[in-house]
Protein backbone atom coordinates (compact mmCIF):
# COMPACT_ATOMS: atom_id res chain seq x y z
CA UNK A 1 0.00 0.00 0.00
CA UNK A 2 1.35 3.36 -0.91
CA UNK A 3 2.25 5.47 2.09
CA UNK A 4 0.13 8.29 0.73
CA UNK A 5 -3.03 6.26 1.53
CA UNK A 6 -1.93 6.13 5.16
CA UNK A 7 -1.22 9.86 5.07
CA UNK A 8 -4.74 10.45 3.73
CA UNK A 9 -6.26 8.53 6.63
CA UNK A 10 -4.11 10.18 9.30
CA UNK A 11 -5.51 13.27 11.02
CA UNK A 12 -2.41 15.42 11.09
CA UNK A 13 -4.24 18.73 11.01
CA UNK A 14 -6.81 18.33 13.78
CA UNK A 15 -7.87 21.98 13.91
CA UNK A 16 -9.43 21.78 10.47
CA UNK A 17 -10.70 18.19 10.85
CA UNK A 18 -14.13 17.40 9.41
CA UNK A 19 -15.48 13.87 9.27
CA UNK A 20 -17.53 14.58 6.16
CA UNK A 21 -14.32 14.99 4.15
CA UNK A 22 -13.63 11.25 4.61
CA UNK A 23 -15.49 8.91 2.27
CA UNK A 24 -16.50 5.65 4.02
CA UNK A 25 -16.55 3.90 0.61
CA UNK A 26 -13.02 4.98 -0.39
CA UNK A 27 -10.95 2.18 -1.96
CA UNK A 28 -7.67 4.03 -2.65
CA UNK A 29 -7.77 2.43 -6.10
CA UNK A 30 -7.28 -1.06 -4.68
CA UNK A 31 -9.11 -4.13 -5.96
CA UNK A 32 -10.64 -6.81 -3.81
CA UNK A 33 -8.60 -9.83 -4.98
CA UNK A 34 -5.29 -8.01 -4.97
CA UNK A 35 -6.12 -6.61 -1.53
CA UNK A 36 -6.55 -10.14 -0.14
CA UNK A 37 -3.07 -11.08 -1.44
CA UNK A 38 -1.61 -7.82 -0.12
CA UNK A 39 -3.10 -8.51 3.32
CA UNK A 40 -1.37 -11.90 3.44
CA UNK A 41 1.96 -10.22 2.65
CA UNK A 42 1.41 -7.60 5.34
CA UNK A 43 0.61 -10.34 7.86
CA UNK A 44 3.90 -12.11 7.12
CA UNK A 45 5.71 -8.88 7.98
CA UNK A 46 3.57 -8.27 11.06
CA UNK A 47 4.40 -11.77 12.30
CA UNK A 48 8.14 -11.19 11.99
CA UNK A 49 7.99 -7.77 13.64
CA UNK A 50 5.84 -9.14 16.45
CA UNK A 51 8.49 -11.81 17.13
CA UNK A 52 11.13 -9.10 17.31
CA UNK A 53 9.03 -6.90 19.57
CA UNK A 54 8.50 -9.82 21.96
CA UNK A 55 12.19 -10.82 21.87
CA UNK A 56 13.35 -7.25 22.45
CA UNK A 57 10.93 -7.09 25.41
CA UNK A 58 11.26 -3.33 25.95
CA UNK A 59 8.50 -1.49 24.15
CA UNK A 60 4.85 -2.08 23.40
CA UNK A 61 2.24 -1.24 20.84
CA UNK A 62 -1.39 -0.34 21.49
CA UNK A 63 -3.98 -0.41 18.71
CA UNK A 64 -7.21 1.41 19.62
CA UNK A 65 -10.27 0.62 17.51
CA UNK A 66 -13.32 2.84 17.81
CA UNK A 67 -16.41 2.73 15.64
CA UNK A 68 -20.15 2.70 15.46
CA UNK A 69 -21.99 -0.62 15.63
CA UNK A 70 -21.45 -2.91 12.64
CA UNK A 71 -18.45 -0.97 11.34
CA UNK A 72 -16.41 -4.14 11.80
CA UNK A 73 -14.21 -3.90 14.88
CA UNK A 74 -14.47 -7.63 15.57
CA UNK A 75 -13.90 -8.54 11.93
CA UNK A 76 -10.81 -6.32 11.77
CA UNK A 77 -9.30 -8.01 14.82
CA UNK A 78 -10.03 -11.48 13.42
CA UNK A 79 -8.67 -10.71 9.99
CA UNK A 80 -5.43 -9.03 11.09
CA UNK A 81 -4.44 -11.00 14.16
CA UNK A 82 -5.34 -14.55 13.11
CA UNK A 83 -2.02 -16.15 12.30
CA UNK A 84 0.03 -14.04 14.70
CA UNK A 85 1.41 -15.60 17.87
CA UNK A 86 -1.49 -15.31 20.36
CA UNK A 87 1.01 -15.21 23.26
CA UNK A 88 2.07 -11.72 22.20
CA UNK A 89 -1.32 -10.15 21.47
CA UNK A 90 -3.90 -9.16 24.07
CA UNK A 91 -7.33 -8.11 22.88
CA UNK A 92 -9.62 -6.29 25.31
CA UNK A 93 -13.26 -5.50 24.52
CA UNK A 94 -14.67 -2.72 26.66
CA UNK A 95 -18.35 -3.01 27.56
CA UNK A 96 -20.57 -0.91 29.83
CA UNK A 97 -18.48 -0.55 33.02
CA UNK A 98 -19.65 -2.96 35.71
CA UNK A 99 -18.81 -3.69 39.33
CA UNK A 100 -15.47 -2.31 40.42
CA UNK A 101 -14.88 -0.70 36.99
CA UNK A 102 -17.91 1.52 37.51
CA UNK A 103 -16.75 2.75 40.90
CA UNK A 104 -13.24 3.71 39.77
CA UNK A 105 -12.18 6.57 37.52
CA UNK A 106 -12.83 5.83 33.82
CA UNK A 107 -9.15 5.30 32.97
CA UNK A 108 -8.60 2.66 35.66
CA UNK A 109 -9.75 -0.37 33.67
CA UNK A 110 -8.08 0.99 30.56
CA UNK A 111 -4.70 1.41 32.18
CA UNK A 112 -4.89 -2.13 33.58
CA UNK A 113 -5.43 -3.50 30.08
CA UNK A 114 -2.49 -1.66 28.46
CA UNK A 115 0.15 -3.90 26.88
CA UNK A 116 3.28 -4.81 28.81
CA UNK A 117 6.80 -4.75 27.39
CA UNK A 118 7.08 -6.78 24.21
CA UNK A 119 3.30 -7.02 23.78
CA UNK A 120 0.75 -5.78 21.29
CA UNK A 121 -2.50 -4.67 22.93
CA UNK A 122 -5.72 -4.24 20.97
CA UNK A 123 -8.65 -2.26 22.36
CA UNK A 124 -12.06 -3.05 20.90
CA UNK A 125 -13.68 0.18 22.14
CA UNK A 126 -11.72 2.09 24.75
CA UNK A 127 -11.58 5.13 27.03
CA UNK A 128 -13.05 7.06 24.07
CA UNK A 129 -16.46 5.63 24.99
CA UNK A 130 -16.22 7.99 27.95
CA UNK A 131 -16.37 11.01 25.64
CA UNK A 132 -18.68 9.38 23.05
CA UNK A 133 -21.55 7.24 24.33
CA UNK A 134 -21.29 8.88 27.75
CA UNK A 135 -21.70 12.31 26.13
CA UNK A 136 -24.38 11.36 23.61
CA UNK A 137 -26.54 9.45 26.10
CA UNK A 138 -26.01 12.02 28.85
CA UNK A 139 -24.42 9.55 31.33
CA UNK A 140 -22.22 12.41 32.52
CA UNK A 141 -22.70 16.19 32.24
CA UNK A 142 -20.67 18.32 29.88
CA UNK A 143 -18.60 19.69 32.77
CA UNK A 144 -17.38 16.11 33.38
CA UNK A 145 -16.78 14.70 29.88
CA UNK A 146 -15.26 17.92 28.51
CA UNK A 147 -12.27 17.68 30.86
CA UNK A 148 -11.63 14.16 29.68
CA UNK A 149 -10.04 15.27 26.41
CA UNK A 150 -7.22 16.75 28.46
CA UNK A 151 -6.95 13.68 30.70
CA UNK A 152 -6.83 11.43 27.67
CA UNK A 153 -4.12 13.45 25.95
CA UNK A 154 -2.04 13.45 29.10
CA UNK A 155 -2.62 9.75 29.76
CA UNK A 156 -1.63 8.84 26.20
CA UNK A 157 1.40 11.13 26.42
CA UNK A 158 2.51 9.28 29.55
CA UNK A 159 2.08 5.89 27.85
CA UNK A 160 4.06 7.16 24.88
CA UNK A 161 6.86 8.54 27.06
CA UNK A 162 7.07 5.22 28.88
CA UNK A 163 7.50 3.18 25.70
CA UNK A 164 4.05 2.47 24.24
CA UNK A 165 3.39 3.37 20.62
CA UNK A 166 -0.30 4.24 20.25
CA UNK A 167 -2.15 3.68 16.98
CA UNK A 168 -5.74 4.94 16.87
CA UNK A 169 -8.22 3.96 14.15
CA UNK A 170 -11.78 5.14 13.73
CA UNK A 171 -13.55 2.69 11.40
CA UNK A 172 -15.76 4.99 9.37
CA UNK A 173 -18.92 3.25 8.17
CA UNK A 174 -21.76 5.00 6.34
CA UNK A 175 -25.32 5.05 7.61
CA UNK A 176 -26.53 3.10 4.56
CA UNK A 177 -24.01 0.29 5.00
CA UNK A 178 -24.74 0.08 8.71
CA UNK A 179 -28.42 -0.49 7.79
CA UNK A 180 -27.48 -3.35 5.43
CA UNK A 181 -25.28 -4.97 8.05
CA UNK A 182 -27.94 -4.66 10.77
CA UNK A 183 -30.45 -6.30 8.42
CA UNK A 184 -27.95 -9.11 7.68
CA UNK A 185 -27.57 -9.65 11.40
CA UNK A 186 -31.32 -9.83 11.88
CA UNK A 187 -31.81 -12.22 8.97
CA UNK A 188 -28.92 -14.59 9.65
CA UNK A 189 -29.30 -16.78 12.77
CA UNK A 190 -25.51 -17.10 13.03
CA UNK A 191 -25.23 -13.32 13.32
CA UNK A 192 -28.36 -12.29 15.19
CA UNK A 193 -26.63 -12.73 18.57
CA UNK A 194 -24.70 -9.58 17.69
CA UNK A 195 -27.82 -7.48 17.41
CA UNK A 196 -29.28 -5.66 20.40
CA UNK A 197 -32.52 -3.68 20.30
CA UNK A 198 -30.48 -0.76 21.66
CA UNK A 199 -28.49 -0.70 18.42
CA UNK A 200 -31.50 0.89 16.69
CA UNK A 201 -31.78 3.53 19.40
CA UNK A 202 -28.08 4.36 18.88
CA UNK A 203 -28.66 4.53 15.12
CA UNK A 204 -31.31 7.20 15.68
CA UNK A 205 -28.64 9.23 17.46
CA UNK A 206 -26.39 9.12 14.36
CA UNK A 207 -25.91 12.91 14.05
CA UNK A 208 -25.11 13.27 17.76
CA UNK A 209 -22.53 10.49 17.55
CA UNK A 210 -21.13 12.15 14.42
CA UNK A 211 -20.55 15.39 16.36
CA UNK A 212 -19.10 13.50 19.33
CA UNK A 213 -16.69 11.53 17.12
CA UNK A 214 -15.67 14.66 15.27
CA UNK A 215 -14.91 16.54 18.50
CA UNK A 216 -13.08 13.58 20.04
CA UNK A 217 -10.89 13.11 16.98
CA UNK A 218 -10.20 16.83 16.75
CA UNK A 219 -9.33 17.16 20.43
CA UNK A 220 -7.17 14.05 20.74
CA UNK A 221 -5.23 13.77 17.49
CA UNK A 222 -1.75 14.50 18.76
CA UNK A 223 1.66 14.04 17.22
CA UNK A 224 2.35 11.11 19.58
CA UNK A 225 -1.07 9.48 19.13
CA UNK A 226 -2.81 10.60 15.93
CA UNK A 227 -6.17 9.28 14.77
CA UNK A 228 -6.68 7.54 11.44
CA UNK A 229 -10.07 7.65 9.77
CA UNK A 230 -10.33 4.28 8.04
CA UNK A 231 -12.94 3.76 5.31
CA UNK A 232 -15.10 0.88 6.56
CA UNK A 233 -17.87 0.37 3.98
CA UNK A 234 -15.75 -2.34 2.30
CA UNK A 235 -14.41 -4.92 4.76
CA UNK A 236 -11.43 -5.69 2.55
CA UNK A 237 -10.36 -2.03 2.37
CA UNK A 238 -10.78 -1.62 6.12
CA UNK A 239 -8.75 -4.74 6.98
CA UNK A 240 -5.88 -3.93 4.65
CA UNK A 241 -5.84 -0.29 5.75
CA UNK A 242 -5.61 -1.07 9.48
CA UNK A 243 -3.03 -3.80 8.83
CA UNK A 244 -0.89 -1.32 6.92
CA UNK A 245 -1.20 1.37 9.57
CA UNK A 246 -0.08 -1.17 12.16
CA UNK A 247 2.77 -2.39 9.98
CA UNK A 248 3.99 1.15 9.45
CA UNK A 249 4.04 1.74 13.22
CA UNK A 250 5.94 -1.49 13.87
CA UNK A 251 8.44 -0.74 11.13
CA UNK A 252 9.05 2.64 12.69
CA UNK A 253 9.66 0.98 16.05
CA UNK A 254 12.11 -1.36 14.32
CA UNK A 255 12.39 -3.80 17.24
CA UNK A 256 15.61 -5.79 17.40
CA UNK A 257 16.47 -9.30 18.56
CA UNK A 258 18.67 -8.88 21.64
CA UNK A 259 22.33 -9.85 21.24
CA UNK A 260 23.22 -13.33 22.52
CA UNK A 261 24.54 -13.74 26.05
CA UNK A 262 28.35 -13.34 25.70
CA UNK A 263 28.92 -16.35 27.96
CA UNK A 264 27.37 -18.67 25.38
CA UNK A 265 29.83 -17.62 22.69
CA UNK A 266 31.64 -20.66 21.26
CA UNK A 267 29.44 -23.02 23.31
CA UNK A 268 28.86 -26.31 21.49
CA UNK A 269 26.02 -28.61 22.39
CA UNK A 270 27.39 -32.16 22.65
P1 LIG B 1 -20.47 -4.22 21.86
O1 LIG B 1 -19.17 -3.58 21.51
O2 LIG B 1 -21.42 -4.29 20.73
O3 LIG B 1 -20.29 -5.51 22.57
O4 LIG B 1 -21.22 -3.25 22.89
C1 LIG B 1 -20.61 -2.76 24.02
C2 LIG B 1 -21.45 -1.61 24.55
O5 LIG B 1 -20.81 -1.10 25.71
C3 LIG B 1 -21.59 -0.46 23.58
O6 LIG B 1 -22.92 -0.08 23.48
C4 LIG B 1 -20.76 0.64 24.21
O7 LIG B 1 -21.22 1.92 23.92
C5 LIG B 1 -20.86 0.29 25.68
N1 LIG B 1 -19.77 0.88 26.46
C6 LIG B 1 -18.46 0.62 26.35
N2 LIG B 1 -17.74 1.40 27.18
C7 LIG B 1 -18.63 2.18 27.83
C8 LIG B 1 -18.51 3.21 28.82
N3 LIG B 1 -17.31 3.58 29.29
N4 LIG B 1 -19.62 3.80 29.25
C9 LIG B 1 -20.84 3.43 28.78
N5 LIG B 1 -21.02 2.47 27.84
C10 LIG B 1 -19.93 1.86 27.37
MG1 LIG C 1 -22.83 -4.20 19.35
Amino acid sequence: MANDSIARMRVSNPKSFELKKFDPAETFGWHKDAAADALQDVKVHLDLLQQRLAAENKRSLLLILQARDAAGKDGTVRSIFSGLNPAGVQVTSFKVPAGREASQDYLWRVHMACPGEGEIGVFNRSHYEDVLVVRVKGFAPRSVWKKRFRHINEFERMLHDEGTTIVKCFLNVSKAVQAQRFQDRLDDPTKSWKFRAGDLADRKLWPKFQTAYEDAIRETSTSHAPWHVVPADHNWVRNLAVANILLEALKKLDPQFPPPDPTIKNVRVE
Side-chain angles (χ1 to χ4, degrees), residues 69 125 185 194 196 199:
D69 290 306
R125 304 188 188 270
R185 286 182 178 183
K194 284 194 173 197
R196 294 174 307 114
D199 290 348

PDB file of all heavy atoms in Angstrom, residues 69 125 185 194 196 199, ligand 2:
ATOM      1  N   ASP A  69     -21.614   0.790  15.762  1.00  0.00           N
ATOM      2  CA  ASP A  69     -21.992  -0.616  15.629  1.00  0.00           C
ATOM      3  C   ASP A  69     -21.923  -1.040  14.168  1.00  0.00           C
ATOM      4  O   ASP A  69     -22.263  -0.262  13.268  1.00  0.00           O
ATOM      5  CB  ASP A  69     -23.426  -0.817  16.136  1.00  0.00           C
ATOM      6  CG  ASP A  69     -23.522  -0.672  17.644  1.00  0.00           C
ATOM      7  OD1 ASP A  69     -22.768  -1.380  18.345  1.00  0.00           O
ATOM      8  OD2 ASP A  69     -24.316   0.159  18.113  1.00  0.00           O
ATOM      9  N   ARG A 125     -13.155  -0.919  21.325  1.00  0.00           N
ATOM     10  CA  ARG A 125     -13.678   0.184  22.140  1.00  0.00           C
ATOM     11  C   ARG A 125     -12.623   0.494  23.206  1.00  0.00           C
ATOM     12  O   ARG A 125     -11.691  -0.274  23.408  1.00  0.00           O
ATOM     13  CB  ARG A 125     -15.037  -0.095  22.783  1.00  0.00           C
ATOM     14  CG  ARG A 125     -16.118  -0.481  21.777  1.00  0.00           C
ATOM     15  CD  ARG A 125     -17.478  -0.561  22.468  1.00  0.00           C
ATOM     16  NE  ARG A 125     -18.506  -1.095  21.590  1.00  0.00           N
ATOM     17  CZ  ARG A 125     -19.257  -0.343  20.799  1.00  0.00           C
ATOM     18  NH1 ARG A 125     -19.115   0.960  20.783  1.00  0.00           N
ATOM     19  NH2 ARG A 125     -20.187  -0.883  20.032  1.00  0.00           N
ATOM     20  N   ARG A 185     -27.630  -9.048  10.060  1.00  0.00           N
ATOM     21  CA  ARG A 185     -27.567  -9.649  11.397  1.00  0.00           C
ATOM     22  C   ARG A 185     -28.932 -10.183  11.813  1.00  0.00           C
ATOM     23  O   ARG A 185     -29.034 -11.260  12.404  1.00  0.00           O
ATOM     24  CB  ARG A 185     -27.094  -8.616  12.435  1.00  0.00           C
ATOM     25  CG  ARG A 185     -25.622  -8.329  12.324  1.00  0.00           C
ATOM     26  CD  ARG A 185     -25.128  -7.343  13.360  1.00  0.00           C
ATOM     27  NE  ARG A 185     -23.684  -7.171  13.182  1.00  0.00           N
ATOM     28  CZ  ARG A 185     -22.894  -6.428  13.953  1.00  0.00           C
ATOM     29  NH1 ARG A 185     -23.418  -5.779  14.975  1.00  0.00           N
ATOM     30  NH2 ARG A 185     -21.612  -6.350  13.720  1.00  0.00           N
ATOM     31  N   LYS A 194     -25.428 -10.860  17.618  1.00  0.00           N
ATOM     32  CA  LYS A 194     -24.698  -9.585  17.691  1.00  0.00           C
ATOM     33  C   LYS A 194     -25.629  -8.384  17.783  1.00  0.00           C
ATOM     34  O   LYS A 194     -25.186  -7.261  18.011  1.00  0.00           O
ATOM     35  CB  LYS A 194     -23.840  -9.383  16.428  1.00  0.00           C
ATOM     36  CG  LYS A 194     -22.596 -10.210  16.394  1.00  0.00           C
ATOM     37  CD  LYS A 194     -21.679  -9.694  15.309  1.00  0.00           C
ATOM     38  CE  LYS A 194     -20.338 -10.372  15.339  1.00  0.00           C
ATOM     39  NZ  LYS A 194     -19.335  -9.646  14.583  1.00  0.00           N
ATOM     40  N   ARG A 196     -28.518  -6.023  19.197  1.00  0.00           N
ATOM     41  CA  ARG A 196     -29.280  -5.659  20.398  1.00  0.00           C
ATOM     42  C   ARG A 196     -30.325  -4.638  19.973  1.00  0.00           C
ATOM     43  O   ARG A 196     -30.049  -3.814  19.087  1.00  0.00           O
ATOM     44  CB  ARG A 196     -28.388  -4.980  21.447  1.00  0.00           C
ATOM     45  CG  ARG A 196     -27.306  -5.830  22.085  1.00  0.00           C
ATOM     46  CD  ARG A 196     -26.442  -4.948  22.989  1.00  0.00           C
ATOM     47  NE  ARG A 196     -25.921  -3.774  22.290  1.00  0.00           N
ATOM     48  CZ  ARG A 196     -26.248  -2.517  22.554  1.00  0.00           C
ATOM     49  NH1 ARG A 196     -27.101  -2.217  23.518  1.00  0.00           N
ATOM     50  NH2 ARG A 196     -25.726  -1.514  21.861  1.00  0.00           N
ATOM     51  N   ASP A 199     -29.264  -1.149  19.580  1.00  0.00           N
ATOM     52  CA  ASP A 199     -28.488  -0.703  18.418  1.00  0.00           C
ATOM     53  C   ASP A 199     -29.312   0.259  17.550  1.00  0.00           C
ATOM     54  O   ASP A 199     -28.774   1.188  16.940  1.00  0.00           O
ATOM     55  CB  ASP A 199     -28.029  -1.901  17.568  1.00  0.00           C
ATOM     56  CG  ASP A 199     -26.952  -2.731  18.286  1.00  0.00           C
ATOM     57  OD1 ASP A 199     -26.413  -2.259  19.306  1.00  0.00           O
ATOM     58  OD2 ASP A 199     -26.672  -3.849  17.827  1.00  0.00           O
TER      59      ASP A 199
HETATM   60 MG1  LIG B   2     -22.833  -4.196  19.351  1.00  0.00          MG
END
